[in-house]
Amino acid sequence: MINKRLLIKNILAYYDENSFYDKKRQLNLHTANGKAKFLKHVCALSNSNTTNNAYLLVGIEDKENSIIGVDFYDDSKIQNLINAYLENPPLIIYDNVSFDSLAQDKVVGLVTIKPKKGRTIFKRSISIIEKGTYYYRIGSTSAPNMVPKTLESNQAMVTSIERNSWNSLQTTLQSVLDFVTVTHKDIKPKYKVFKEQFVICWAGNKTIVKGTTFYSRMDISFINEQIKLFYSDLDSVTIFYNEQEFVITEYLNLGLNDKTSFYPFMEVAIKFFDNGTYTLNHTLLFNGPTYNVNILNHIYQSSLKIISKVMDNKELSSKENKALYKLNSNLMLCYLNGIEDARNQLLIMKDYFKAHPDPTFFKGFKEVMRILRKLKYEKEV
C-alpha cells in the first residue's frame, strides 16, 4: 500500500514539474477562473499519461519547492466538477496528506489522476477556455490544442516512484504512536486495526446530546496511507465501526436559537476486505430544516444591515456584534431556504472575517462555504 506522504516526498525530491506531475500553492474552486485552471491541468495531465497515474500536488511553494500546506479539503464531489466540464473525463482522487512539519489543520492535497484511453476535451466553456479545447503537457506547461510530436510514456518512471513509496511496518507503528502520544495526547485518542492490516486513528472532544454521542474537533487518519479522512475544528460527528468497516457521519447544528438540533449531512464509510483492499464511499444525507419565510426575511435584512455597516467601517451596536457571531450560519440557513443572494453576501465578508482577530469568524466562514460547496457539487456544478 502506497504511503502518500512518502510518495509526495519522492516526487518533490527527484523531479521538477514535468509531463506526469504539477504542483500548486493552492486551488481556488470558488470562482470560474479558479475552476478553469484546475480543469486545464487535469485535462493536460490526463492526456499526457494514458498508461500511468499522474499527480497534482497542492500546498507546494513553486520557487522554493517547499511544503507549505493548505486547509483540509474534503469535497468528495470534486469528480462531479471534472465530469461536468470534460468529455472522456479521467477518474481522480483527492487525498489530504499529513506532514509533521505542518500545523495540525494543514495538509498537502494530492490529486491522483487515473490513466484512461482517448483524448480528454472540454465539452463546456468556462472562463476563458472554450468548448472543444484540449490540453497536453509540453514539459512543465499545459499547452492548448497542441499534441506533442512524441508522446513519451511515463509508465516506467511513475511505477518506480510508486514502488519506492510503499509503506513499512516501522512507519505504520511510529505514526500510530505519534498520533496517540504526541498529536492528540490530551483528548483520549483511539485506534483500531482492521483485517490485521489497516489502521485508523481518531481523536475528538466527546459530548452527549439527547442520548447521542457526538465528537467535535475531530481528527481521523488512515495511517497506512498517511491521509486524513476527516478534520474539523467545528463539526459534530458520530463514529461507528465493527470488524469490517469504519463509518463517519457528519451532522450540522442548524437551529436558529437551538443548540441541540442536529441534522445528518454526510456519511463517509470505509470498508476493508480480506484481500488487502478497501473501498471509500461518500453519501450525502442532508435534508435541512425549513423556516417561516417572514422570520428568514427578517434575519436576512438584519444580516444585510450588519454587512453594510462593516463594509462602511461603521461601529456595530452590542446587539449587532452579538449577531455577527451568527452571521455565517444565519446566511447559510437563508441560502438553504431559497434566498440565493445570501451566498454572495457571505463572500463579501470573506476578507473581513479572515482579518478579524477572533479566528472563529474565518473558521465559521470556511465551514459554511465547505458545506455549500458540497451541496452544490452533489446536485450540479
Side-chain angles (χ1 to χ4, degrees):
M1 187 172 298
I2 292 178
N3 180 324
K4 302 293 178 65
R5 182 165 65 197
L6 186 55
L7 174 66
I8 292 171
K9 288 182 177 180
N10 284 337
I11 292 174
L12 291 176
Y14 298 106
Y15 300 93
D16 199 359
E17 289 177 327
N18 54 35
S19 57
F20 75 83
Y21 104 93
D22 199 356
K23 58 189 174 186
K24 298 297 173 189
R25 184 183 182 91
Q26 62 184 13
L27 297 180
N28 178 12
L29 300 183
H30 295 304
T31 66
N33 187 49
K35 290 177 183 176
K37 289 180 179 179
F38 172 67
L39 290 165
K40 176 183 73 174
H41 295 307
V42 170
C43 178
L45 288 166
S46 177
N47 285 333
S48 300
N49 296 273
T50 59
T51 59
N52 54 267
N53 291 332
Y55 296 101
L56 176 61
L57 311 185
V58 186
I60 308 298
E61 178 60 55
D62 192 20
K63 293 182 180 180
E64 301 291 333
N65 208 35
S66 57
I67 296 171
I68 59 174
V70 289
D71 289 338
F72 180 90
Y73 187 86
D74 69 340
D75 199 323
S76 60
K77 301 303 177 183
I78 197 171
Q79 183 71 51
N80 289 15
L81 175 64
I82 304 295
N83 297 345
Y85 284 95
L86 299 181
E87 183 179 324
N88 191 27
L91 173 65
I92 71 164
I93 300 170
Y94 190 106
D95 289 314
N96 296 276
V97 184
S98 304
F99 277 82
D100 295 337
S101 59
L102 297 176
Q104 189 178 323
D105 62 340
K106 297 294 182 182
V107 294
V108 171
L110 174 65
V111 181
T112 303
I113 302 160
K114 295 291 186 177
K116 54 106 194 84
K117 301 297 183 182
R119 183 180 294 169
T120 297
I121 302 173
F122 275 79
K123 63 182 179 182
R124 293 167 57 186
S125 299
I126 180 171
S127 188
I128 62 173
I129 300 177
E130 297 182 355
K131 176 182 176 181
T133 302
Y134 59 87
Y135 290 84
Y136 279 85
R137 296 286 288 185
I138 308 295
S140 61
T141 303
S142 297
N145 301 326
M146 291 179 59
V147 181
K149 293 181 180 179
T150 56
L151 189 61
E152 296 182 2
S153 173
N154 292 314
Q155 186 172 5
M157 189 183 305
V158 173
T159 299
S160 176
I161 295 171
E162 292 173 342
R163 186 178 294 124
N164 290 327
S165 302
W166 277 73
N167 230 337
S168 68
L169 179 59
Q170 179 179 347
T171 301
T172 301
L173 289 175
Q174 189 61 55
S175 296
V176 173
L177 285 173
D178 288 344
F179 191 98
V180 173
T181 64
V182 179
T183 309
H184 297 293
K185 62 181 179 181
D186 297 327
I187 50 177
K188 298 181 179 178
K190 297 182 180 180
Y191 71 91
K192 169 72 176 174
V193 179
F194 297 87
K195 300 296 182 180
E196 301 181 328
Q197 182 177 3
F198 306 100
V199 185
I200 289 182
C201 291
W202 68 96
N205 291 328
K206 180 178 177 181
T207 57
I208 298 177
V209 179
K210 295 181 179 179
T212 300
T213 300
F214 291 98
Y215 294 90
S216 60
R217 289 185 59 206
M218 205 63 193
D219 185 359
I220 306 173
S221 294
F222 184 20
I223 297 299
N224 302 70
E225 295 193 354
Q226 297 296 327
I227 60 175
K228 285 183 182 287
L229 296 175
F230 191 91
Y231 181 85
S232 175
D233 283 323
L234 302 177
D235 287 336
S236 296
V237 304
T238 61
I239 297 295
F240 167 82
Y241 60 92
N242 54 29
E243 295 304 312
Q244 289 78 39
E245 63 179 346
F246 188 90
V247 181
I248 309 157
T249 305
E250 179 185 355
Y251 287 77
L252 304 180
N253 179 214
L254 294 177
L256 285 173
N257 295 298
D258 178 11
K259 294 185 178 180
T260 64
S261 294
F262 290 87
Y263 296 82
F265 179 57
M266 179 72 75
E267 178 185 277
V268 180
I270 182 167
K271 189 171 183 179
F272 304 98
F273 301 95
D274 291 328
N275 63 357
T277 62
Y278 70 91
T279 58
L280 181 62
N281 294 310
H282 297 75
T283 305
L284 186 71
L285 307 173
F286 187 65
N287 186 15
T290 56
Y291 292 101
N292 180 277
V293 174
N294 292 329
I295 293 176
L296 283 172
N297 282 331
H298 173 72
I299 291 172
Y300 187 58
Q301 293 304 318
S302 298
S303 298
L304 290 181
K305 182 180 178 181
I306 292 172
I307 293 171
S308 178
K309 292 182 73 171
V310 166
M311 293 297 103
D312 292 337
N313 293 315
K314 294 181 179 179
E315 186 177 354
L316 300 179
S317 67
S318 58
K319 183 178 180 180
E320 288 169 336
N321 267 312
K322 186 179 292 186
L324 187 64
Y325 278 89
K326 299 184 68 176
L327 188 68
N328 282 311
S329 58
N330 282 346
L331 286 174
M332 178 175 68
L333 280 176
C334 291
Y335 180 81
L336 294 176
N337 281 269
I339 303 178
E340 295 288 331
D341 193 52
R343 183 180 181 275
N344 295 328
Q345 297 301 320
L346 269 170
L347 292 173
I348 288 173
M349 292 293 289
K350 177 181 177 180
D351 290 339
Y352 173 81
F353 284 148
K354 190 172 184 179
H356 200 283
D358 186 344
T360 60
F361 283 109
F362 192 53
K363 287 180 181 178
F365 170 83
K366 290 192 293 184
E367 288 293 300
V368 166
M369 294 309 298
R370 179 183 65 85
I371 292 164
L372 296 183
R373 183 179 67 242
K374 291 176 78 170
L375 290 173
K376 180 181 180 181
Y377 284 169
E378 177 67 22
K379 298 174 184 177
E380 179 183 11
V381 178

